[in-house]
Amino acid sequence: MHPHLHTKTNRGCEEIMSALDECHARGFIHKLFGGCNDIKTQVNKCLRAERLERTAKNRELAKQKREETLAMWKEIDENS
């Protein structure tokens, strides 16, 4: 299962997702017999890579925010 495709956070995978949509448009029988499995695997790998980039970036931002918060608390404690 994958998240909604074609969103602003998945722009790097647009070509692969379009290929998956085209494959799905070929019909149910084509999907049933695994005609789209390779493309689906590529989509999953691409989405995972983008998610890992996003989480690494978010982790860094959270770390910076935490350091700023601790610095503010330290300043408050020193001035109290």
Side-chain angles (χ1 to χ4, degrees):
M1 194 74 183
H2 52 74
H4 291 289
L5 303 178
H6 306 291
T7 63
K8 65 179 181 175
T9 59
N10 299 328
R11 294 288 181 218
C13 302
E14 192 70 34
E15 289 180 27
I16 300 171
M17 291 185 293
S18 294
L20 182 63
D21 288 340
E22 290 172 13
C23 187
H24 285 174
R26 291 183 186 167
F28 176 73
I29 299 297
H30 183 71
K31 289 190 301 184
L32 180 67
F33 288 108
C36 301
N37 287 353
D38 293 335
I39 298 171
K40 173 82 164 95
T41 301
Q42 292 174 5
V43 168
N44 288 343
K45 286 180 181 179
C46 185
L47 291 174
R48 183 176 194 278
E50 288 201 353
R51 180 180 50 84
L52 291 176
E53 284 180 30
R54 233 178 10 259
T55 56
K57 181 180 174 183
N58 288 342
R59 190 175 299 115
E60 273 303 311
L61 291 174
K63 185 178 178 181
Q64 290 173 1
K65 183 76 170 172
R66 178 70 178 155
E67 288 172 359
E68 291 172 7
T69 303
L70 290 175
M72 284 185 219
W73 278 110
K74 184 177 179 181
E75 183 181 332
I76 290 171
D77 287 342
E78 289 174 353
N79 295 333
S80 295

